């Protein structure tokens, strides 16, 4: 090609992102990304300016979780790049496709402790699926194509492209490749006929089967196929936290969520099952509890696209490395129509003796669980619910009834506080046809509250509900149950702090910050509810608003999440209050 | 299960960062690499790594699966020493 076809690496990057079908870019500028930012104003996709790089990555993550498309984020070198690490780890453990582009100091300055220099690929390696350090402008189009391929093939995950400034400025005529062919990475794998035959046989012979569906079902788009298998073979379905929405929780076959804070029916069913059909799960310790006592009577069929997930935590009688949807669509015709009336009756007995419930601790106080039910009613169960991390996350998992995939977005594996607000913004950008409600605690909300501005300035009708119990509730709960009620570092109100925290005890305020004023300062419409009688009306008003709204709900601070299987303990040690 | 020395032979693309990713996968789990040799193959774009690591069969099997998941790893085999 002749010289006048050449353009800068930065221009080639933006062109490549267009070719990769990017329809929104989240990010934050800085010195070593300026050449790229200079080209963004002509890009076919809009740019969303976050207020902190962690927020930008969580926005891209929320966008990816709600659409299945990779989220894309652009930041500068050094602190810009290091601020993405929490967001990368969050996406990595939950298998969320992201492409994160970081500026880097010019190649010639790498290793000289240059201004805003950090070894980004070195730092990001352990929290990402793959990292690229670009060596020349010519590499940029192909690297972008490979990054999108890697982010979305096999188990999805975040990919980092670190681009030194001189590569952004260098001239290249390299073109975006029509197809990607990686020499060493071939994650596609399919079930063998023998495996499908054996799977069908095990399902057909089972007397007490349970389907156990995880985030992989949602990633694979297999929710309808799970429902088809469950109905045909009469198998009840439990989900993981990440799998909420992969099976309609209003269906009589639903056991709802399993695990530490899962339903008794789900946990007891797995404990009694003779077959667990595990689909797109990784048998997290939050689900298995004491691993040697997990599902003692069950044979396990484990289907996952990640070969390293199979046999990692539990050993499977039949492990199938393949796409969940592919397996289910081909196995279905081999599975016999069945019902398991005795098994289902036993499970229905558990459901009615131990329903998902909660108790009002006092009059005149709002119980946090009631807030979830109120939101579920106000949105008719159709909202995209985004959570932060902690007690409210578990209450949101327990007290909404999820019926659709990609309607419950949460940081499952990493448990990243500060995820909720920005991820909800990303989800609201991605799905303007849906109402997005972020449920956050007062702790996590303070970690990334600055991003509320982004929702306001883009007129996103997101509702942020702050469940304010004046403490870091899950930490407080563990301290109450396992650390002799020594509430070290977990109380956010002035009253009730430990002596070593040295607060002035005569302050005339208790709850800080004032979330209503804080939201108003960010330009949002805001309400506070303390009176239980006003909860429903306020929530309904907020979710109907076309503006960005925030509702601060002052709730009972001593409410705990139950049921609970203490960490590392077997199902038999489930506690109910 | 007893810990034993396992010798991993990895064929990897000869690209920057590959060695660090592989070593990180092993050391990040708290396992010590006893011996590490890296060298070119006849095909200059492929390197061979020989890694001796002390671990149980189960852990080493996990490490191998994780290594095979890496984008630049072509092939991994192992044998007990």
């Amino acid at each position: 090609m002749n010289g006048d076809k050449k353009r800068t690496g930065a221009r080639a990057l933006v062109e490549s992102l267009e070719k990769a079908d990017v329809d929104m870019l989240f990010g934050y500028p800085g010195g070593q990304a300026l050449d790229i930012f200079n080209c963004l104003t002509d890009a076919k996709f809009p740019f969303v300016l976050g207020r902190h790089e962690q927020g930008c990555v969580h926005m891209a993550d929320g966008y990816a979780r709600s659409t299945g498309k990779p989220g894309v984020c652009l930041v500068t070198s050094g602190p810009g790049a290091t601020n993405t690490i929490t967001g990368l780890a969050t996406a990595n453990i939950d298998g969320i496709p992201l492409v994160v582009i970081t500026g880097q100091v010019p190649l010639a300055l790498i290793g000289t402790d240059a201004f805003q220099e950090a070894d980004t690929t070195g730092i990001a390696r352990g929290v990402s699926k793959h990292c690229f350090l670009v060596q020349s402008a010519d590499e940029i189009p192909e690297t972008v194509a490979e990054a999108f391929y890697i982010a979305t093939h096999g188990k999805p995950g975040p990919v980092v492209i670190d681009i030194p400034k001189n590569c952004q400025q260098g001239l290249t005529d390299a073109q975006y490749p029509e197809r990607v062919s990686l020499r060493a990475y071939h994650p596609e794998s399919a079930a063998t006929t023998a495996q499908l035959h054996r799977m069908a046989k095990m399902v057909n012979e089972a007397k007490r089967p349970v389907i156990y569906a995880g985030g992989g079902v949602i990633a694979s788009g297999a929710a309808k196929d799970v429902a088809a298998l469950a109905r045909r073979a009469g198998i009840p379905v439990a989900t993981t936290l990440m799998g909420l929405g992969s099976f309609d929780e209003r269906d009589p076959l639903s056991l709802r969520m399993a695990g530490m804070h899962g339903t008794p029916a789900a946990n007891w069913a797995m404990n009694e099952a003779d077959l667990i059909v595990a689909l797109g799960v990784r048998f997290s310790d939050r689900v298995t509890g004491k691993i040697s006592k997990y599902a003692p009577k069950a044979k396990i069929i484990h289907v996952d696209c990640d070969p390293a997930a199979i046999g990692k935590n539990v050993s499977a009688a039949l492990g199938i490395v393949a796409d969940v949807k592919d397996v289910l669509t081909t196995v279905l015709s081999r599975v016999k129509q069945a019902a398991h009336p005795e098994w289902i009756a036993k499970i229905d007995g558990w459901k009615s003796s131990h329903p998902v419930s909660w108790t009002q601790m006092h009059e005149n106080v709002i119980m946090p669980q009631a807030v979830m039910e109120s939101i579920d009613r106000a949105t008719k169960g159709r909202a995209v619910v985004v959570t932060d991390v902690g007690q409210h996350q578990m209450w949101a998992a327990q007290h909404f009834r999820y019926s659709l995939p990609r309607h419950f977005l949460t940081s499952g594996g990493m448990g990243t506080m500060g995820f909720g607000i920005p991820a909800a913004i990303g989800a609201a950008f991605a799905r303007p046809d849906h109402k997005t409600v972020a449920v956050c605690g007062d702790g996590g909300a303070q970690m990334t509250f600055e991003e509320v501005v982004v929702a306001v300035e883009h007129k996103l009708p997101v509702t942020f509900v702050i469940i304010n119990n004046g403490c870091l509730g899950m930490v407080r709960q563990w301290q109450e149950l396992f650390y002799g009620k020594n509430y070290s570092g977990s109380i956010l109100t002035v009253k009730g702090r430990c002596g070593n925290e040295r607060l002035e005890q005569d302050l005339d305020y208790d709850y800080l910050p004032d979330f209503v004023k804080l939201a108003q300062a960010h330009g949002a419409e805001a309400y506070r509810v303390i009176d239980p009688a006003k909860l429903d009306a306020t929530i309904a008003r907020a979710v109907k608003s076309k503006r960005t709204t925030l509702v601060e709900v002052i709730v009972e601070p001593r409410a705990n999440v139950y049921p609970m299987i203490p960490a590392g303990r077997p199902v038999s040690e489930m506690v109910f209050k | 299960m007893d810990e034993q020395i396992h010798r991993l032979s990895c064929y990897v693309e000869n690209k920057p960062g590959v060695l660090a990713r592989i070593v990180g996968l092993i050391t990040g789990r708290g396992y010590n690499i006893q011996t590490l040799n890296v060298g070119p193959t006849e095909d200059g774009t492929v390197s061979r790594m020989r890694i001796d690591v002390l671990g149980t069969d189960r852990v080493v099997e996990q490490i191998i699966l994780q290594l095979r998941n890496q984008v630049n790893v072509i092939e991994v085999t192992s044998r007990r020493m």
Side-chain angles (χ1 to χ4, degrees):
Chain A
M1 250 181 242
N2 58 29
D4 56 12
K5 291 265 175 79
K6 289 196 173 186
R7 72 290 198 221
T8 63
R11 178 74 61 193
L13 172 69
V14 173
E15 272 176 34
S16 300
L17 295 177
E18 289 170 347
K19 290 260 170 65
D21 202 21
V22 171
D23 47 26
M24 185 161 283
L25 175 66
F26 301 90
Y28 203 92
Q32 306 301 338
L34 282 179
D35 288 272
I36 304 168
F37 273 85
N38 193 40
C39 299
L40 285 184
T41 42
D42 302 326
K44 290 178 184 153
F45 49 81
F47 173 72
V48 175
L49 176 68
R51 292 299 188 274
H52 185 292
E53 290 88 352
Q54 182 186 348
C56 299
V57 185
H58 290 329
M59 280 181 211
D61 181 314
Y63 178 96
R65 284 178 204 246
S66 67
T67 58
K69 288 187 65 177
V72 191
C73 179
L74 168 64
V75 302
T76 190
S77 65
T82 57
N83 279 342
T84 67
I85 297 302
T86 303
L88 288 169
T90 304
N92 195 44
I93 195 164
D94 286 343
I96 305 301
L98 296 183
V99 173
V100 174
I101 300 154
T102 55
Q104 180 56 280
V105 301
L107 278 172
L109 290 184
I110 289 182
T112 66
D113 291 343
F115 179 65
Q116 294 193 330
E117 184 196 349
D119 174 12
T120 300
T121 55
I123 298 165
R125 194 169 286 129
V127 292
S128 61
K129 186 170 173 188
H130 195 64
C131 299
F132 291 97
L133 173 57
V134 168
Q135 306 286 326
S136 82
D138 293 332
E139 290 180 9
I140 289 174
E142 191 176 18
T143 303
V144 171
E146 290 180 359
F148 278 88
Y149 181 91
I150 293 164
T152 54
H153 287 70
K155 182 181 176 182
V159 178
V160 175
I161 311 177
D162 198 25
I163 311 183
K165 185 160 179 154
N166 65 301
C167 303
Q168 301 167 26
Q169 293 170 334
L171 295 176
T172 179
D173 54 13
Q175 296 298 308
Y176 193 78
E178 300 217 340
R179 70 170 58 122
V180 173
S181 157
L182 293 165
R183 178 174 190 171
Y185 188 63
H186 306 285
E188 302 78 13
S189 170
T192 63
T193 309
Q195 285 175 325
L196 292 168
H197 180 75
R198 184 143 174 247
M199 179 174 177
K201 187 164 183 283
M202 288 170 79
V203 169
N204 291 336
E205 287 172 357
K207 301 276 184 282
R208 299 184 310 279
V210 171
I211 291 173
Y212 172 45
V217 169
I218 292 169
S220 155
K224 286 191 174 135
D225 308 283
V226 170
L229 175 65
R231 300 224 172 87
R232 186 177 177 96
I235 310 179
V237 182
T239 73
T240 65
L241 179 72
M242 292 297 295
L244 284 172
S246 64
F247 188 74
D248 188 346
E249 294 197 297
R250 295 165 304 190
D251 191 294
L253 285 172
S254 174
L255 299 165
R256 310 187 69 183
M257 184 175 76
M260 179 180 278
H261 294 298
T263 64
N267 287 324
W268 289 339
M270 297 229 276
N271 203 41
E272 290 297 316
D274 65 351
L275 177 71
I276 290 176
V277 183
L279 305 170
V281 301
R282 56 188 175 83
F283 290 100
S284 151
D285 59 281
R286 295 285 117 150
V287 166
T288 60
K290 190 179 174 82
I291 202 92
S292 60
K293 296 276 181 70
Y294 173 71
K297 301 169 187 170
K299 287 181 186 161
I300 293 173
I301 300 173
H302 191 178
V303 183
D304 200 279
C305 67
D306 177 7
I310 291 167
K312 178 167 65 182
N313 297 330
V314 300
S315 39
L318 174 61
I320 302 178
V321 181
D323 178 66
V324 173
K325 188 179 175 73
D326 287 351
V327 169
L328 292 181
T329 49
T330 44
V331 86
L332 191 65
S333 62
R334 298 163 193 250
V335 170
K336 291 184 190 140
Q337 281 277 356
H340 303 279
E342 280 178 35
W343 176 228
I344 299 291
K346 192 166 193 181
I347 286 170
D348 286 346
W350 292 330
K351 285 186 192 173
S352 52
S353 66
H354 292 79
V356 176
S357 66
W358 49 275
T359 41
Q360 183 74 33
M361 291 172 77
H362 319 271
E363 270 183 80
N364 300 324
V365 66
I366 297 176
M367 294 303 291
Q369 300 94 327
V371 186
M372 308 304 162
E373 293 179 355
S374 178
I375 300 168
D376 205 22
R377 278 193 298 275
T379 56
K380 300 187 172 60
R382 303 201 65 82
V384 174
V385 176
V386 186
T387 78
D388 211 84
V389 167
Q391 285 184 315
H392 70 276
Q393 178 188 29
M394 292 300 117
W395 287 317
Q398 293 173 332
H399 299 286
F400 287 88
R401 294 245 169 181
Y402 298 97
S403 57
L404 294 166
R406 305 196 182 282
H407 279 60
F408 176 71
L409 314 184
T410 200
S411 168
M414 194 51 48
T416 303
M417 285 174 70
F419 174 81
I421 288 174
I425 294 169
F429 271 119
R431 301 292 295 275
D433 51 328
H434 285 67
K435 177 69 195 181
T436 302
V437 179
V439 182
C440 301
D442 48 322
Q446 289 180 66
M447 288 195 173
T448 48
F449 199 89
E450 75 287 344
E451 308 299 337
V452 169
V453 164
V454 179
V456 172
E457 64 193 9
H458 289 275
K459 294 188 162 37
L460 297 176
V462 187
T463 300
F464 300 104
V465 180
I466 311 295
I467 308 294
N468 191 347
N469 57 5
C471 63
L472 305 174
M474 192 60 94
V475 175
R476 201 211 67 94
Q477 174 169 343
W478 282 52
Q479 289 172 333
E480 178 186 330
L481 299 177
F482 311 121
Y483 291 88
K485 303 190 180 183
N486 184 21
Y487 298 123
S488 179
S490 62
I491 307 300
L492 298 175
T493 49
V494 175
K495 292 193 191 89
R497 293 269 182 123
C498 290
N500 65 320
E501 294 179 29
R502 294 177 183 275
L503 293 187
E504 294 292 335
Q505 292 297 313
D506 56 350
L507 297 177
D508 57 357
Y509 43 79
D510 197 16
Y511 282 82
L512 279 179
D514 177 332
F515 278 100
V516 170
K517 282 186 188 157
L518 189 61
Q520 287 166 344
H522 287 68
E525 190 177 308
Y527 309 94
R528 179 180 295 112
V529 204
I530 302 170
D531 177 359
K534 293 184 179 152
L535 176 65
D536 278 351
T538 314
I539 294 285
R541 187 171 171 195
V543 300
K544 277 196 196 97
S545 173
K546 300 277 182 252
R547 297 181 57 199
T548 304
T549 53
L550 179 142
V551 184
E552 179 187 22
V553 189
I554 307 293
V555 300
E556 167 56 50
R558 285 166 302 167
N560 284 342
V561 182
Y562 291 115
M564 178 178 195
I565 302 170
R569 307 308 306 165
V571 171
S572 57
E573 294 182 26
M574 191 185 308
V575 286
F576 298 93
K577 60 179 68 169
Chain B
M1 252 191 292
D2 288 337
E3 294 201 333
Q4 250 187 311
I5 299 267
H6 295 250
R7 176 162 294 174
L8 310 181
S9 286
C10 310
Y11 289 87
V12 302
E13 290 184 273
N14 182 8
K15 289 187 173 174
V18 177
L19 174 63
R21 200 168 252 279
I22 287 172
V23 168
L25 254 175
I26 297 167
T27 56
R29 295 161 171 267
Y31 288 91
N32 217 350
I33 292 174
Q34 316 264 326
T35 309
L36 172 67
N37 282 304
V38 187
T41 61
E42 281 184 16
D43 175 351
T45 64
V46 175
S47 301
R48 195 181 79 150
M49 296 180 185
R50 199 182 72 190
I51 306 166
D52 287 356
V53 61
L54 185 68
T56 62
D57 286 357
R58 190 181 164 81
V59 165
V60 173
E61 180 61 25
Q62 253 303 301
I63 289 173
I64 292 168
L65 289 169
Q66 302 268 13
L67 287 173
R68 287 191 182 131
N69 266 353
Q70 301 306 310
V71 169
N72 302 119
V73 174
I74 298 166
E75 194 189 332
V76 186
T77 55
S78 78
R79 65 191 168 99
R80 282 191 231 146
M81 299 305 289

